[in-house]
């Protein structure tokens, strides 16, 4: 994410990588299998947290970095568990843990990463408020995953779709922004505005992600096209194509099968592309990004506000 180029932020991110590496060094085997997991990635969540933490006048790197590390570990843990549930073979262009080893090892590694995140929080005395917010985050991630699993191969309403992506994605970005504002001791209304920015950003992020699942470049995204569809997860491009596509009945038959083939994915992509689903999804994502920009507090540090606006631009234009 090249929008973080200033020296102070580059230093923060370099230190974050050191913290992440140290966090998974309890055991040689654990370190060996966790190092690829924490390598790469967009680091969007800790970056949002650090920018929001820098938005006030009470930023201390030593106080902020352990919590930034914890947020990235929670995100990584959730991805490990997602890959098990989805039966995913690749993540970020490399083998998933469940593909390379087995589901048992992957479950334990995911649990380990969750535990390490909360260990960091406990060791650095962030207090009950931060612990409660993080516990609520993990709870909502689990509820979102349960909702998704129970709805596999079922066509959700628009409200059901939004409830799911709010719990699985938007609430996480909102939490990162909220915690940054809290750590920086911003006023309560400014913290809420940053959290609202994170929510809108997260909704847009997930909608763009759902488009990339059908129309991204596999070499760039690191995931096969139609992965969500094959797993039975019905996303916004599909919902819209069912509403407005010429071949919606064909698409509906594909979706309600217990197993979706590569040719089914190709047919689905064709039906989606022939409808207005892509434009519809992009317009919704753009609308959420506009809301995110409007939610940014006017009184926060100017440089941080510019970076947060640049992140909004990145989310809507990203290709991975």
């Amino acid at each position: 994410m090249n929008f973080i180029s200033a020296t102070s932020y580059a230093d923060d991110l370099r230190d974050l990588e050191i913290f992440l590496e140290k966090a998974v060094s309890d055991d040689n085997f654990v370190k060996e299998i966790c190092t690829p997991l924490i390598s790469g990635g967009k680091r969007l969540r800790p970056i949002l947290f650090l920018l929001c933490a820098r938005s006030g006048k009470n930023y201390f790197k030593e106080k902020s970095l352990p919590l930034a590390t914890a947020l990235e570990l929670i995100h990584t843990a959730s991805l490990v568990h997602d890959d098990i549930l989805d039966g995913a073979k690749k993540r970020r262009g490399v083998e998933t843990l469940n593909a390379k080893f087995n589901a048992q090892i992957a479950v334990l590694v995911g649990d380990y990463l969750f535990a390490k995140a909360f260990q960091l929080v406990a060791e650095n005395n962030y207090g009950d408020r931060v612990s409660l917010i993080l516990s609520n985050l993990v709870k909502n991630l689990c509820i979102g995953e349960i909702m998704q699993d129970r709805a596999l191969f079922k066509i959700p309403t628009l409200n059901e779709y939004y409830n799911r992506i709010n719990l699985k994605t938007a609430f996480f970005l909102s939490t990162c922004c909220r915690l940054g504002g809290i750590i920086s001791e911003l006023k309560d209304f400014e913290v809420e505005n940053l959290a609202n920015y994170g929510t809108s950003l997260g909704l847009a992020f997930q909608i763009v992600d759902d488009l990339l699942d059908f129309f991204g470049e596999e070499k760039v995204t690191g995931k096969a096209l139609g992965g969500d569809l094959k797993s039975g997860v019905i996303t916004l491009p599909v919902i819209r194509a069912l509403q407005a596509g010429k071949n919606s009945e064909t698409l509906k038959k594909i979706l309600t099968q217990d197993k979706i083939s590569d040719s089914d994915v190709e047919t689905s992509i064709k039906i989606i592309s022939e409808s207005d689903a892509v434009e519809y999804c992009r317009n919704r994502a753009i609308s959420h990004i506009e809301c995110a920009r409007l939610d940014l507090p006017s009184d926060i540090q100017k440089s941080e506000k510019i970076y947060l606006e640049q992140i909004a631009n990145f989310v809507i234009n990203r290709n991975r």
Side-chain angles (χ1 to χ4, degrees):
M1 296 174 77
N2 57 15
F3 45 78
I4 304 296
S5 56
T7 302
S8 56
Y9 300 107
D11 288 346
D12 281 358
L13 293 180
R14 277 195 294 270
D15 289 340
L16 174 67
E17 299 305 318
I18 294 169
F19 268 71
L20 284 167
E21 184 177 347
K22 185 178 178 182
V24 298
S25 298
D26 292 308
D27 173 87
N28 287 336
F29 177 68
V30 170
K31 182 178 180 180
E32 179 186 342
I33 61 178
C34 284
T35 297
L37 295 176
I38 62 170
S39 301
K42 293 178 278 294
R43 302 288 190 250
L44 177 60
R45 289 152 187 82
I47 286 173
L48 282 172
F49 165 76
L50 290 169
L51 283 174
C52 291
R54 281 182 171 273
S55 294
K57 297 178 181 179
N58 294 302
Y59 175 75
F60 297 99
K61 181 189 289 190
E62 295 77 12
K63 181 181 179 182
S64 299
L65 277 173
L67 187 48
T69 304
L71 288 165
E72 185 66 11
L73 291 176
I74 289 171
H75 173 55
T76 306
S78 71
L79 295 182
V80 170
H81 285 172
D82 278 355
D83 288 340
I84 299 165
L85 292 169
D86 296 342
K89 302 299 182 186
K90 281 192 173 184
R91 167 77 68 176
R92 296 171 181 167
V94 298
E95 271 191 304
T96 58
L97 282 184
N98 47 293
K100 188 173 183 179
F101 297 96
N102 54 52
Q104 290 90 335
I105 288 290
V107 168
L108 291 169
V109 170
D111 291 349
Y112 166 80
L113 293 170
F114 277 127
K116 285 300 299 186
F118 281 93
Q119 181 183 349
L120 282 172
V121 172
E123 287 174 346
N124 288 278
N125 301 310
Y126 287 109
D128 292 344
R129 186 182 182 188
V130 169
S131 295
L132 182 60
I133 289 170
L134 286 176
S135 299
N136 197 36
L137 167 63
V138 175
K139 178 197 74 175
N140 281 347
L141 286 172
C142 292
I143 292 173
E145 200 63 57
I146 291 167
M147 286 172 58
Q148 179 172 292
D149 190 67
R150 286 174 58 83
L152 294 179
F153 299 100
K154 297 176 184 176
I155 301 164
T157 65
L158 191 59
N159 283 341
E160 288 169 343
Y161 167 79
Y162 265 100
N163 285 340
R164 187 179 76 214
I165 70 168
N166 181 53
L167 289 167
K168 283 176 59 67
T169 304
F171 190 80
F172 203 151
L173 301 195
S174 178
T175 296
C176 293
C177 296
R178 182 184 297 281
L179 288 172
I182 289 171
I183 288 294
S184 188
E185 299 178 6
L186 292 175
K187 295 175 182 177
D188 287 347
F189 77 90
E190 292 173 323
V191 172
E192 288 305 313
N193 283 347
L194 286 174
N196 290 338
Y197 160 87
T199 297
S200 296
L201 190 79
L203 293 174
F205 185 95
Q206 188 58 57
I207 291 171
V208 172
D209 207 58
D210 292 343
L211 281 172
L212 289 173
D213 187 59
F214 291 109
F215 302 104
E217 294 183 35
E218 292 185 28
K219 290 182 180 179
V220 178
T221 63
K223 296 184 287 185
L225 292 183
D228 286 338
L229 193 69
K230 278 192 165 185
S231 300
V233 179
I234 312 303
T235 57
L236 190 58
V238 178
I239 294 170
R240 180 59 182 177
L242 286 168
Q243 293 173 341
K246 293 179 180 178
N247 296 300
S248 58
E249 286 303 315
T250 301
L251 182 56
K252 189 173 182 179
K253 286 179 183 177
I254 290 171
L255 300 177
T256 52
Q257 298 175 151
D258 289 336
K259 188 173 182 181
I260 296 175
S261 67
D262 289 340
S263 64
D264 289 332
V265 170
E266 291 176 10
T267 301
S268 300
I269 290 174
K270 187 172 186 294
I271 292 170
I272 292 167
S273 62
E274 288 174 349
S275 73
D276 69 347
V278 174
E279 182 183 7
Y280 173 85
C281 291
R282 282 201 60 81
N283 285 340
R284 276 194 169 266
I286 289 168
S287 177
H288 291 307
I289 288 298
E290 289 173 354
C291 288
R293 291 194 182 100
L294 290 172
D295 280 325
L296 284 173
S298 57
D299 294 335
I300 62 174
Q301 304 276 17
K302 185 177 179 180
S303 58
E304 279 69 29
K305 188 174 183 181
I306 289 171
Y307 281 126
L308 290 168
E309 288 173 344
Q310 288 178 349
I311 288 179
N313 293 334
F314 161 80
V315 164
I316 203 66
N317 293 308
R318 69 192 183 95
N319 61 357
R320 65 183 180 94

